[in-house]
Amino acid sequence: MSSNNPMAAPVPGRRAALILGWTDSKPYHLRRYERMWNTKGYTPVARATPLHELCIPERKGFPMAREVLRKVAALNPTELVMHVFSNGGGFNYLQVRAVLEEEQEFTTLRKVLRGVVFDSLPSLYVHPVALIMLSPRSDEPLPRKAVKLLWALGKNLRYLIQWPVKGNPWRFYLPSLLNTPTDVPELFLYADGDDLIPSASIEEYVNRRRRRGARCEGVNFGRNSAHVSHHKLNQKAYEEAISRFLKRAVKALNNSCSSAVDGKERMRDSVIRSRL
């Protein structure tokens, strides 16, 4: 859900940024990113990711996707950017992107999507159950991680035991993510210092996406960063990377749209002249 941060108040007709938080994120975790997008002229709509959402069958996540997309659509944005965190945000991104592509209600919103920023994802190697249970903060002490692991197991046990009957929603995660549309540019923000999702895993994924025709960029913050902490530890470099990406991505897509419109107009004029 979007936080109560007054800076995130909807402003109709503005550019919008949809923020999908990491596993077990809370609204207050996402406020720094709401502030960042506000400074760039975007109205943020932020949604945290509860632990249990990662254990439910894929299609049952669609009501969440419709709800958050309706909040974005209410802004009547001229441009939309998505900001996705870790595999938890990636899981919800799949639901959002599926609804965006499949449902007529969101056709206008789909046309203004200009790019996607991925922070600390995806992982090609860590087991899904581990990703659900591990702390979203890789710089937490080991004892705290152990406590959170036990707490998460207890909280989500009723969902996990349903997997043999209802299906493991994570088995299609990576194939589905790899096959999402390649129509908008993608920026991947990651680090060698991320001890939850290896940088090599993200780089391999980026290469696979490029082979599918996606326009991908990547920024590695090196050893001096941690999982979903790149903005906190490298704020200036992080925001500059996003600004560069937006400038290139939005400009390229706007030019592409303009060229398509110009082409249609030239074709129409040609048809008119041929009739005269």
Side-chain angles (χ1 to χ4, degrees):
M1 303 291 289
S2 182
S3 74
N4 293 323
N5 177 10
M7 294 186 68
V11 180
R14 288 186 60 182
R15 297 175 293 177
L18 174 57
I19 304 169
L20 299 174
W22 57 90
T23 306
D24 203 28
S25 57
K26 303 294 188 293
Y28 67 84
H29 290 135
L30 305 179
R31 283 177 188 147
R32 68 165 49 241
Y33 303 102
E34 291 180 289
R35 290 192 294 269
M36 181 195 76
W37 283 108
N38 263 296
T39 63
K40 296 182 184 301
Y42 287 74
T43 301
V45 175
R47 192 185 190 281
T49 303
L51 275 165
H52 73 270
E53 284 191 353
L54 306 188
C55 303
I56 61 177
E58 180 182 3
R59 290 273 163 181
K60 289 192 176 180
F62 281 17
M64 173 281 300
R66 294 187 189 98
E67 177 186 359
V68 74
L69 284 173
R70 283 170 184 148
K71 289 183 177 181
V72 176
L75 302 174
N76 190 28
T78 56
E79 295 173 9
L80 170 62
V81 177
M82 296 190 195
H83 196 172
V84 184
F85 290 88
S86 194
N87 281 316
F91 186 82
N92 281 339
Y93 169 73
L94 280 179
Q95 322 303 319
V96 168
R97 199 69 203 266
V99 171
L100 196 64
E101 296 297 322
E102 296 172 8
E103 301 194 5
Q104 195 72 21
E105 177 183 352
F106 304 106
T107 299
T108 301
L109 205 56
R110 182 170 66 250
K111 290 179 179 177
V112 300
L113 181 62
R114 291 293 179 262
V116 185
V117 178
F118 295 98
D119 183 320
S120 305
L121 78 149
S123 169
L124 300 178
Y125 308 116
V126 181
H127 193 275
V129 174
L131 288 171
I132 293 170
M133 302 309 171
L134 283 173
S135 164
R137 289 293 303 277
S138 58
D139 56 349
E140 285 186 339
L142 185 59
R144 184 178 296 177
K145 285 185 178 182
V147 171
K148 292 190 75 171
L149 170 62
L150 293 174
W151 174 83
L153 279 169
K155 185 175 180 180
N156 293 281
L157 185 60
R158 68 189 180 98
Y159 295 100
L160 295 173
I161 61 178
Q162 295 176 10
W163 282 10
V165 177
K166 296 187 176 181
N168 172 2
W170 281 85
R171 60 181 167 168
F172 301 118
Y173 171 65
L174 282 171
S176 298
L177 203 61
L178 278 166
N179 289 313
T180 50
T182 59
D183 53 339
V184 297
E186 300 171 351
L187 172 64
F188 292 82
L189 304 172
Y190 61 101
D192 295 328
D194 187 334
D195 61 7
L196 180 58
I197 296 184
S199 57
S201 173
I202 294 175
E203 289 167 353
E204 181 178 337
Y205 174 85
V206 168
N207 287 332
R208 292 188 190 183
R209 285 289 289 168
R210 284 172 175 162
R211 288 197 290 271
R212 284 167 166 77
R215 290 158 290 171
C216 301
E217 302 176 28
V219 176
N220 187 337
F221 293 100
R223 297 298 309 173
N224 297 320
S225 198
H227 192 65
V228 297
S229 297
H230 310 317
H231 184 264
K232 179 180 178 181
L233 300 174
N234 304 275
Q235 182 173 340
K236 183 179 179 181
Y238 190 101
E239 295 192 8
E240 287 177 349
I242 289 181
S243 293
R244 290 193 302 269
F245 171 73
L246 290 173
K247 186 175 181 180
R248 288 193 293 268
V250 173
K251 181 179 179 181
L253 280 172
N254 284 344
N255 288 343
S256 175
C257 292
S258 298
S259 298
V261 171
D262 291 344
K264 289 180 180 178
E265 290 180 348
R266 285 194 297 270
M267 182 179 295
R268 181 193 62 193
D269 292 343
S270 176
V271 170
I272 292 173
R273 284 194 298 271
S274 68
R275 292 174 178 174
L276 295 176

